[in-house]
Amino acid sequence: MKYARELLRDVDGYTPGEQPRDAGVIKLNTNENPYPPSPRVLDAVRGLGAEALRKYPDPVATAFREACAHRYGYPGPEWIIAGNGMDELLALAVRTFVDPGDRVLAMYPTYSLYDVLCRLHGAELATVDLDADFGLTEDFFTTPARLCFFTRPNAPTGRAAPRAEVERFCAGFKGVIVIDEAYVDFAEDNCMDLARRFDNVIVMRTFSKSFSLAGMRIGVAVANPDLVNEFLKTKDSYNMDAVSQAVGLAAVEDYAHMERNVARVRATRARLIGDLRRLGFVVGDSQANFVLARKQGAPSAWELFDALRKRAIYVRYFDMRRLEDAIRITVGTDNECAALVAALETLLDVQA
Ligand SMILES: Cc1ncc(COP(=O)(O)O)c(C=O)c1O
């Protein structure tokens, strides 16, 4: 394409998981929450009225940011930036803290959007391979870069680096560190306090997973006010629409609803991991709302993915180095996971 920027020639763009139109599909491929968001969220949407749609929204989502600051233990909204999903905030982080030509650090394998964002910006993503169990290696601690995406829990491995490792990394790294906590509400602990302890740390959260709001596009980043001020220069004037602001506020104010859903997902996750191990998959302990199931021999992971798809059960297969032998399965309802396990029993010819 002769009209596009030269930079785009080698960029394929990010490929999101498939969103089937058929309502009958058991959809375990994009890490959505199987349970509905808080009823207060729907009340907030109904309560909006025509005026809220006629006028521009609050450009800096003040009420939502105040509620987030309170919830996450920060002094006020000056520590928070809200966005149109965490993906927008990840893109803003590159735009705000990285010059074209700079190096950005990430682990491998990890969320593949980072690479796309760097390429679009003319920056280089330097990845350091995780070890055989998907833990960090020493090289990760010694590779200098302008920005680091530290994904915890990591995707698609589901593993969370020990907090002590995160702290050691933050104490040594000279650039800006984005701790991507997209899945952290499903984990045992989090790093939310590190944005206060380190002036180069940004902790990011999404409302897509634990709050069951992927359809809304709501994300927040927590960082020292000096970093937040730089972010504000690069965002769109009205990057969070009026509906998202009202919904985000209602969701964060009904935190207990989210925690109840998370508890159900975690219980199902434990059963699913047990079932998959019984079927012969190698499955690490997951701190997220998905599990990575690996298997050797026939049928291959891709064949299983394909056969499940033909049975209207969607999981995710990544055509990526080190993930050839794996499928990633979102933790759905108990019934959805039971249907998946039954299908795998048939496909693998295993007795229940
Ligand atoms: C590791 C990671 N970070 C960020 C996101 C983006 O979340 P959002 O839906 O808020 O854009 C995802 C979504 O899949 C993710 O897996």
Side-chain angles (χ1 to χ4, degrees):
M1 153 48 92
K2 65 179 179 177
Y3 298 111
R5 292 175 67 197
E6 207 168 308
L7 203 65
L8 297 186
R9 278 188 202 150
D10 298 328
V11 185
D12 285 334
Y14 178 71
T15 314
E18 197 175 344
Q19 295 293 345
R21 286 167 163 232
D22 177 358
V25 167
I26 295 181
K27 194 171 173 309
L28 305 176
N29 66 335
T30 50
N31 298 343
E32 286 128 342
N33 196 311
Y35 303 112
S38 161
R40 291 201 217 164
V41 158
L42 293 174
D43 291 345
V45 174
R46 287 190 202 99
L48 267 176
E51 273 303 278
L53 302 187
R54 186 182 66 77
K55 293 185 299 185
Y56 282 105
D58 176 351
V60 287
T62 313
F64 174 57
R65 285 163 61 232
E66 273 167 1
C68 288
H70 182 69
R71 165 52 58 188
Y72 296 132
Y74 277 81
E78 67 279 9
W79 286 79
I80 315 280
I81 171 154
N84 182 34
M86 198 210 282
D87 282 348
E88 187 205 16
L89 297 170
L90 293 169
L92 286 182
V94 174
R95 216 191 288 168
T96 309
F97 302 109
V98 178
D99 283 308
D102 280 345
R103 182 198 286 163
V104 176
L105 175 65
M107 47 194 87
Y108 186 90
T110 192
Y111 186 32
S112 50
L113 180 72
Y114 307 142
D115 187 46
V116 176
L117 295 178
C118 290
R119 285 163 179 265
L120 290 176
H121 195 67
E124 175 218 350
L125 187 73
T127 54
V128 174
D129 266 41
L130 295 166
D131 66 19
D133 297 323
F134 296 130
L136 289 174
T137 63
E138 213 41 45
D139 281 353
F140 192 74
F141 293 83
T142 53
T143 305
R146 193 78 188 272
L147 178 92
C148 171
F149 289 117
F150 196 123
T151 321
R152 182 183 191 275
N154 190 20
T157 67
R159 201 180 140 163
R163 250 201 71 123
E165 286 194 359
V166 189
E167 290 178 37
R168 176 160 74 96
F169 182 81
C170 292
F173 190 73
K174 299 285 176 263
V176 169
I177 303 160
V178 171
I179 306 182
D180 179 331
E181 292 198 332
Y183 298 99
V184 86
D185 289 324
F186 302 98
E188 273 154 27
D189 60 9
N190 66 72
C191 294
M192 186 47 95
D193 58 307
L194 296 186
R196 196 199 292 263
R197 278 182 44 204
F198 297 95
D199 65 7
N200 56 341
V201 166
I202 305 165
V203 181
M204 291 196 188
R205 299 273 176 101
T206 174
F207 281 45
S208 299
K209 323 283 179 183
S210 54
F211 284 100
S212 314
L213 288 169
M216 282 308 308
R217 318 300 304 126
I218 301 172
V220 289
V222 181
N224 158 319
D226 290 340
L227 291 189
V228 169
N229 281 337
E230 298 306 312
F231 258 112
L232 291 174
K233 294 183 196 167
T234 60
K235 81 173 188 66
D236 282 354
S237 315
Y238 304 104
N239 66 325
M240 199 181 186
D241 65 70
V243 184
S244 299
Q245 290 188 33
V247 161
L249 180 61
V252 83
E253 285 180 341
D254 194 3
Y255 207 73
H257 177 92
M258 177 277 275
E259 288 178 319
R260 282 193 297 275
N261 283 346
V262 163
R264 294 167 83 185
V265 169
R266 287 173 60 145
T268 308
R269 178 179 73 192
R271 282 191 285 275
L272 177 62
I273 290 175
D275 283 338
L276 292 168
R277 286 182 182 156
R278 177 174 57 78
L279 293 179
F281 288 93
V282 176
V283 192
D285 289 332
S286 169
Q287 299 278 310
N289 68 335
F290 57 82
V291 302
L292 190 72
R294 310 170 77 185
K295 85 174 278 299
Q296 301 297 319
S300 68
W302 188 86
E303 284 165 339
L304 281 180
F305 155 82
D306 191 47
L308 287 169
R309 196 176 179 287
K310 289 183 176 128
R311 288 163 187 253
I313 301 176
Y314 285 27
V315 297
R316 192 85 188 256
Y317 178 81
F318 297 94
D319 191 9
M320 278 167 67
R321 184 173 65 80
R322 295 198 58 188
L323 297 174
E324 301 89 347
D325 62 348
I327 51 175
R328 190 198 67 190
I329 304 164
T330 302
V331 180
T333 61
D334 279 335
N335 283 346
E336 288 173 329
C337 291
L340 167 90
V341 170
L344 286 172
E345 276 164 358
T346 309
L347 292 168
L348 296 171
D349 204 12
V350 181
Q351 301 307 312

